[in-house]
Amino acid sequence: MSKISAAITAVGAYVPDYVLTNQILETMVDTNDEWITTRTGIKERRILKEEGKGTSFLAIEAAKDLINKKGINPEEIDLVIVATATPDMKAAATAAYTASQIGAVNAFSFDLEAACSSFLYGMSVASRYIESGRYKKVLLIGADKMSSMINYEDRATCIIFGDGAGAVLFEPNEDGLGLQDEYLRSDGAGREFLQATYGGSSYKITPEALEEGKHYVFQDGKTVFKNAVFNMADVAEKILKRNNLTNEDISWLVPHQANKRIIDATANRIELEPEKVMMNIHKYGNTTSATLPLLLNDYESQLKKGDKLIFAAFGGGFTWGSIYLKWAYNS
């Protein structure tokens, strides 16, 4: 019997209609388009503004897009994983609500949280369920409503993040396509440099904390940037060497969209030409768990069966890693 691997067989995505441009941000905080573009590569980001709509809304819409494009019956889905740093509620899984709303009534579901590495880690988890032979269709969604935890008076963070969601379907493959290898890492010593402290179990939200804005995202930009540049490039290089791959073998680099300079550093480390680097940070900013599937959706028409993709991500915690995957279908 051939070895079962986990292959991506469909993608879907959703971004909100409202576009928050750099020019609009100029009217909100002390910044300007040239400063933002030069330092991050971001020109605009999407924001979910409708009252009462959270991460589950984004996840549901991305899942519906995939289901419609693939033409599958949601009742055939075995598992729904929502990778997110901004769940709708505490305790109640966003994935469970998402699964119910899309009609995946036979699936079990759970959330996975590893900041900007959530979707990358989710790829590993989804693949293990497929490789077990027990599950045939695993829906992995990366979704975040980052605007719900951003202080739009803090120019260090409000210029970076946007809202969005992307989804992929994993299915068994016996032709050697799908996920080939992974190199995943974490270091809890870095959690103080990128987090939203208050609202967690160690730091209860109080009127004083709210007044001081301590429930918003905090980022030590220089420290996060330095660690992201080194670690994303390092794991991408390591996974190439471990699989005896050269830059000529690689069809695409699929990097987390946090900062164009970080993406460029990763591509330079493995000597990959710009034409092979997926990039949409200028359109969406950093959508956290959604960046990788949004890239796959945007570039789907250019992907060919057998293409060799290198995924790389870095996030708060610190969490980071790289995955080597062979694409399984022609659009």
Side-chain angles (χ1 to χ4, degrees):
M1 182 180 292
S2 301
K3 181 180 181 293
I4 296 174
S5 58
I8 293 175
T9 60
V11 300
Y14 176 80
V15 292
D17 293 330
Y18 180 78
V19 180
L20 178 59
T21 64
N22 290 349
Q23 286 73 23
I24 295 174
L25 279 173
E26 288 177 0
T27 68
M28 299 166 62
V29 294
D30 182 17
T31 191
N32 60 73
D33 174 65
E34 182 184 7
W35 192 92
I36 297 171
T37 304
T38 302
R39 285 160 179 77
T40 69
I42 301 169
K43 300 295 288 186
E44 56 190 44
R45 62 291 289 147
R46 300 299 184 96
I47 304 296
L48 181 61
K49 295 182 75 70
E50 289 86 351
E51 193 69 30
K53 291 183 178 179
T55 293
S56 64
F57 175 79
L58 301 168
I60 290 164
E61 292 302 312
K64 286 179 178 178
D65 183 49
L66 182 149
I67 289 167
N68 291 334
K69 285 165 62 178
K70 180 70 172 174
I72 64 167
N73 181 349
E75 294 182 6
E76 297 175 0
I77 298 171
D78 301 305
L79 166 62
V80 176
I81 303 171
V82 173
T84 184
T86 56
D88 283 4
M89 306 173 178
K90 297 176 184 177
T94 301
Y97 181 71
T98 299
S100 296
Q101 292 299 111
I102 64 173
V105 294
N106 296 312
F108 73 103
S109 51
F110 58 84
D111 295 353
L112 190 157
E113 199 280 312
C116 294
S117 302
S118 297
F119 188 84
L120 188 80
Y121 283 18
M123 291 175 67
S124 172
V125 173
S127 295
R128 298 296 88 80
Y129 278 101
I130 293 293
E131 290 166 2
S132 74
R134 185 172 294 177
Y135 305 94
K136 305 301 182 185
K137 287 181 170 60
V138 176
L139 180 63
L140 171 63
I141 307 168
D144 269 307
K145 184 182 177 181
M146 289 303 295
S147 61
S148 66
M149 56 196 300
I150 296 299
N151 178 2
Y152 284 92
E153 295 180 356
D154 175 17
R155 71 172 185 172
T157 56
C158 73
I159 66 169
I160 298 169
F161 295 99
D163 303 337
V168 302
L169 184 68
F170 277 96
E171 294 187 276
N173 183 279
E174 295 185 359
D175 298 323
L177 302 172
L179 197 146
Q180 305 294 307
D181 194 13
E182 62 186 43
Y183 192 87
L184 307 178
R185 291 292 181 268
S186 61
D187 180 3
R191 75 174 187 167
E192 65 182 283
F193 301 110
L194 175 55
Q195 35 70 20
T197 305
Y198 282 78
S201 59
S202 295
Y203 298 89
K204 186 173 69 173
I205 290 182
T206 63
E208 293 76 21
L210 288 173
E211 187 175 343
E212 295 175 29
K214 291 184 176 179
H215 56 299
Y216 292 124
V217 165
F218 164 79
Q219 176 172 271
D220 180 335
K222 290 183 179 179
T223 302
V224 172
F225 179 83
K226 181 177 68 175
N227 279 273
V229 166
F230 175 80
N231 286 308
M232 268 184 61
D234 182 62
V235 290
E237 184 179 44
K238 279 184 167 67
I239 208 161
L240 259 67
K241 288 183 177 178
R242 194 160 74 182
N243 290 277
N244 298 313
L245 298 169
T246 69
N247 58 343
E248 295 181 358
D249 298 319
I250 301 307
S251 306
W252 295 97
L253 174 66
V254 191
H256 172 53
Q257 306 286 292
N259 185 300
K260 187 178 183 297
R261 290 184 293 168
I262 298 172
I263 297 167
D264 291 342
T266 304
N268 291 337
R269 179 75 166 268
I270 59 176
E271 300 179 343
L272 203 65
E273 55 265 42
E275 294 75 21
K276 290 185 174 183
V277 181
M278 292 188 184
M279 190 102 65
N280 60 14
I281 190 171
H282 57 290
K283 295 194 297 181
Y284 307 130
N286 182 355
T287 53
T288 307
S289 306
T291 63
L292 299 182
L294 280 174
L295 283 172
L296 293 178
N297 186 75
D298 281 3
Y299 282 82
E300 183 186 19
S301 63
Q302 300 181 53
L303 293 170
K304 301 179 182 65
K305 186 175 180 179
D307 276 358
K308 296 175 180 177
L309 278 56
I310 299 296
F311 293 77
F314 181 89
F318 286 142
T319 58
W320 70 96
S322 183
I323 282 178
Y324 166 36
L325 178 140
K326 289 184 182 178
W327 196 248
Y329 66 96
N330 294 314
S331 298

